[in-house]
Amino acid sequence: MKAVVQDTYGPPSVLRVEETDRPVPGPGEVLVRVHAAGVDQGVWHLMAGMPYLLRGLGFGLRAPRNRVRGTDLAGRVEAVGAGVTRFAPGDEVYGSGAGTFAEYARAEAAHLAPKPRRLGFEEAAAVPVSACTALQALRDTGRLRAGQHVLVIGASGGVGSYAVQLAKALGAAHVTGVCGTAKTAFVRSLGADEVVDHTRDDPTDGTRRYDLVLDIAGNRRLSRLRRALTPEGTLVIVGGEHGGRWTGGIGRQLRGLLLSSVVRHRIRTLVATQPAADLEGLAEFVDAGAVTPAVDHVYPSLADVPEAVRRLRAGEVRGKLVLRV
């Protein structure tokens, strides 16, 4: 099969399309014929091996342990491993797997769900990683309750575009999205009650207070983020693209957790997963029309992965990028 592989860490040019062996599903696993795959910031981190802390967490010290990139997928079941009874060949599924920038990918059955009926494969592939992250940040880590006011910093990206929609679907009374000038109309189209252009206004200047603040891949100081919270508000730090080559945004997350033990504000972070239960719940939101994937562009082939990663890192994307396989 054809797959996008890399043998060394580095820029997008280290990625190439190569013929490789088709994976074989093990116990509890499913082999999926991939029709489409989403592109998210995690692709860049594993491609570049940045921050260095990732390499020490089992992803490979000198070179990537898994040569094939990609996590999001949507496609049809090709075969199932021992013990899998939820799926059968031909089923349309979506979820997360290992090495999804390929014609076939293995996935744990526990990380797959039936594809939303309302979506085609390309839109469905834009959902799993980003939407699960947004859902878990709001519902589980942020403990969002109906009637609360929510601030989403980074509302125009993959996670942010789902966070705006899901916050409304979960009962938030008022959702404010933060983005750059060129993306304000896009964030408003997602259903945000208010949009703040961060190049003109500072949403953390203390003039407005929120019950829940999601800081997605940001770099604002914790002291400024706390100024945007109500006295007992919650800050959820989702990812981080700054902070140095060794720890990246993880250092700020750790400082937030320590600070949370001595202040009234709840400061939390999360490591998102893509369990079947959440994928099924997201499919219900999608099929009910409460959530719609915002797909910026669909790239037509595996060879386009380097360009997709470059554009994502340049900050040009509204919502998600998808790769047609």
Side-chain angles (χ1 to χ4, degrees):
M1 69 171 188
K2 290 184 174 63
V4 176
V5 304
Q6 67 176 113
D7 293 312
T8 185
Y9 292 120
S13 58
V14 303
L15 301 174
R16 68 184 187 279
V17 179
E18 182 180 281
E19 288 284 343
T20 188
D21 293 335
R22 183 188 300 188
V24 177
E29 294 182 336
V30 175
L31 179 66
V32 179
R33 170 66 173 94
V34 181
H35 288 254
V39 183
D40 63 87
Q41 293 287 356
V43 172
W44 179 84
H45 285 290
L46 294 180
M47 176 197 77
M50 295 289 178
Y52 292 135
L53 179 61
L54 285 177
R55 305 188 189 194
L57 294 176
F59 293 99
L61 288 176
R62 298 178 181 274
R65 180 165 294 178
N66 179 12
R67 297 178 69 228
V68 185
R69 292 278 64 79
T71 303
D72 279 331
L73 66 80
R76 287 188 173 88
V77 173
E78 183 76 9
V80 299
V84 176
T85 58
R86 295 177 56 233
F87 302 107
D91 288 350
E92 296 183 349
V93 297
Y94 83 130
S96 64
T100 62
F101 294 168
E103 292 177 321
Y104 295 88
R106 282 186 308 155
E108 294 183 25
H111 292 164
L112 293 175
K115 180 179 69 64
R117 297 185 302 276
R118 194 166 69 91
L119 302 183
F121 289 112
E122 291 164 3
E123 284 187 301
V127 175
V129 170
S130 294
C132 281
T133 301
L135 177 65
Q136 291 160 24
L138 291 165
R139 182 196 63 195
D140 304 332
T141 308
R143 299 179 186 174
L144 174 62
R145 299 190 304 274
Q148 290 188 322
H149 287 225
V150 178
L151 178 69
V152 180
I153 302 174
S156 64
V159 175
S161 62
Y162 285 112
V164 170
Q165 298 179 75
L166 284 166
K168 297 297 290 185
L170 292 170
H174 193 277
V175 177
T176 300
V178 181
C179 61
T181 306
K183 300 177 181 179
T184 55
F186 167 70
V187 173
R188 193 170 288 110
S189 75
L190 297 170
D193 298 292
E194 182 181 356
V195 180
V196 175
D197 179 349
H198 66 72
T199 67
R200 299 178 179 178
D201 298 297
D202 182 3
T204 62
D205 61 6
T207 60
R208 289 161 289 191
R209 303 279 181 163
Y210 302 89
D211 303 293
L212 173 59
V213 173
L214 263 60
D215 184 40
I216 302 169
N219 62 350
R220 286 176 173 81
R221 296 177 63 88
L222 294 171
S223 59
R224 294 203 65 85
L225 291 167
R226 288 181 60 212
R227 291 171 64 179
L229 290 172
T230 57
E232 296 184 356
T234 297
L235 166 65
V236 180
I237 302 173
V238 185
E241 300 302 317
H242 303 273
R245 301 167 73 85
W246 287 96
T247 63
I250 297 173
R252 187 176 64 129
Q253 295 175 13
L254 293 175
R255 291 194 300 275
L257 292 175
L258 290 173
L259 181 62
S260 185
S261 65
V262 296
V263 300
R264 292 175 66 187
H265 293 143
R266 292 182 68 249
I267 304 174
R268 297 290 186 269
T269 185
L270 77 157
V271 177
T273 59
Q274 299 81 48
D278 282 357
L279 292 167
E280 291 166 358
L282 287 166
E284 292 178 4
F285 280 125
V286 168
D287 287 333
V291 172
T292 299
V295 177
D296 180 288
H297 186 72
V298 177
Y299 287 91
S301 73
L302 290 170
D304 294 308
V305 170
E307 173 58 25
V309 174
R310 278 191 288 267
R311 185 159 176 251
L312 183 67
R313 292 298 292 177
E316 301 170 354
V317 180
R318 294 169 173 81
K320 291 281 290 186
L321 296 177
V322 172
L323 178 72
R324 182 182 302 134
V325 182

